[in-house]
Amino acid sequence: MDDPILTIEEREAINTGRWFSSLSPSLRHDILRCAYVKRFKDGGLIAARGDPPEEWIACAKGAVRVSSTSISGKQITLTYVEPGIWFGDVAIFDGDRRTHDAYAHGDTTILCVAKADFRKILGLHTELYEAMLRLHARRIRQLFGLVEDLNTLPLRSRLAKQLLHLVRSYGIPSLSHGDEIRIGLQLAQEELAQLLGASRQRVNQELKSMEREDIIRIEPGGLVVRDRDALLRIADSDS
């Protein structure tokens, strides 16, 4: 279902995004002036692999699950795009088709800029070229960091890093327990395992170990972080 207006919370997520907030007011204005809103229910297909690139997209609410399908037909989750993050520009720049599928994870709102409008804005604001280079450079740094972690860190450290990232992006402070933070993004253990490049069984073992140490609490609705400092210590450990 489409709705032409962002809610206050959705607009706040876009405006306070680290990359978008670094742009000049006139550039932000022109991007938002051309943008339109789309809303998806959980599991809704946002973009399919092989589609022509028609839109530049930002997540405003929920999450966008980026996935691929293996030769055997199994769907593999690569990442979750959080509110305030823009994506879909690579295919617009190189003119090739979409390389991955994108699905709504939970009720999700996206903000879209048509490819033609994106190119017009590039023509009006040369600032956007440098800004896009910064955006791509950040993605490359993140990708290299993930590859390095996968090859050098034990699963326990990688899991702690992932949980800390989820806390930063989707953390909801507990009203009854001041130190606890609930992760608002609900991920099945299989989905979490795919992000870490590990089996569900091994991730389950590490989660149970962290629960026994009172670092996290596993609930039917998701995960609660009880000791963020402990997670930080595990994430910084390489053994």
Side-chain angles (χ1 to χ4, degrees):
M1 179 181 66
D2 292 0
D3 188 320
I5 301 175
L6 291 173
T7 66
I8 294 174
E9 292 79 10
E10 291 166 350
R11 182 173 286 273
E12 180 74 6
I14 295 293
N15 286 332
T16 59
R18 178 181 170 187
W19 178 80
F20 190 76
S21 63
S22 71
L23 305 178
S24 67
S26 61
L27 176 52
R28 294 199 305 268
H29 173 270
D30 281 356
I31 291 172
L32 295 176
R33 182 173 56 84
C34 295
Y36 49 94
V37 176
K38 289 184 177 180
R39 301 184 190 279
F40 294 85
K41 295 297 184 181
D42 181 42
L45 179 63
I46 295 172
R49 180 174 183 171
D51 282 351
E54 300 296 341
E55 297 171 323
W56 182 39
I57 304 169
C59 181
K61 173 190 173 185
V64 177
R65 177 168 57 85
V66 179
S67 64
S68 64
T69 304
S70 68
I71 296 176
S72 63
K74 180 182 179 181
Q75 196 170 81
I76 301 170
T77 299
L78 302 174
T79 189
Y80 290 86
V81 179
E82 64 201 62
I85 301 298
W86 292 78
F87 66 100
D89 42 86
V90 172
I92 293 178
F93 275 120
D94 68 15
D96 211 338
R97 294 180 178 272
R98 301 285 192 198
T99 57
H100 298 89
D101 299 317
Y103 293 90
H105 188 82
D107 290 343
T108 298
T109 302
I110 61 172
L111 193 64
C112 306
V113 176
K115 178 172 67 174
D117 288 328
F118 178 71
R119 292 194 177 282
K120 286 179 183 177
I121 296 170
L122 278 172
L124 291 171
H125 297 270
T126 55
E127 167 198 353
L128 185 54
Y129 281 100
E130 183 177 346
M132 296 306 300
L133 285 174
R134 292 199 307 271
L135 183 61
H136 290 174
R138 186 178 301 162
R139 290 174 183 161
I140 292 170
R141 285 180 181 273
Q142 291 171 343
L143 178 60
F144 284 173
L146 288 172
V147 173
E148 182 180 0
D149 287 351
L150 189 61
N151 286 280
T152 61
L153 293 182
L155 176 58
R156 181 176 170 87
S157 295
R158 302 203 314 273
L159 175 58
K161 275 193 167 186
Q162 184 64 57
L163 293 179
L164 287 167
H165 172 72
L166 292 172
V167 164
R168 288 191 296 270
S169 303
Y170 294 97
I172 304 171
S174 171
L175 296 178
S176 55
H177 300 84
D179 294 334
E180 294 187 352
I181 304 175
R182 179 179 301 278
I183 295 175
L185 183 70
Q186 294 188 6
L187 295 179
Q189 288 189 11
E190 176 64 30
E191 294 169 326
L192 187 56
Q194 289 176 13
L195 291 177
L196 295 166
S199 68
R200 186 194 64 78
Q201 291 79 6
R202 289 189 62 208
V203 170
N204 177 263
Q205 290 172 0
E206 294 293 351
L207 288 172
K208 290 291 188 182
S209 175
M210 289 181 179
E211 186 172 43
R212 288 192 296 271
E213 297 168 36
D214 291 327
I215 298 171
I216 65 169
R217 185 169 68 251
I218 303 171
E219 297 183 347
L223 295 173
V224 176
V225 173
R226 306 186 65 189
D227 190 341
R228 188 171 178 271
D229 290 339
L231 280 182
L232 286 167
R233 289 193 295 272
I234 295 170
D236 288 338
S237 172
D238 59 3
S239 60

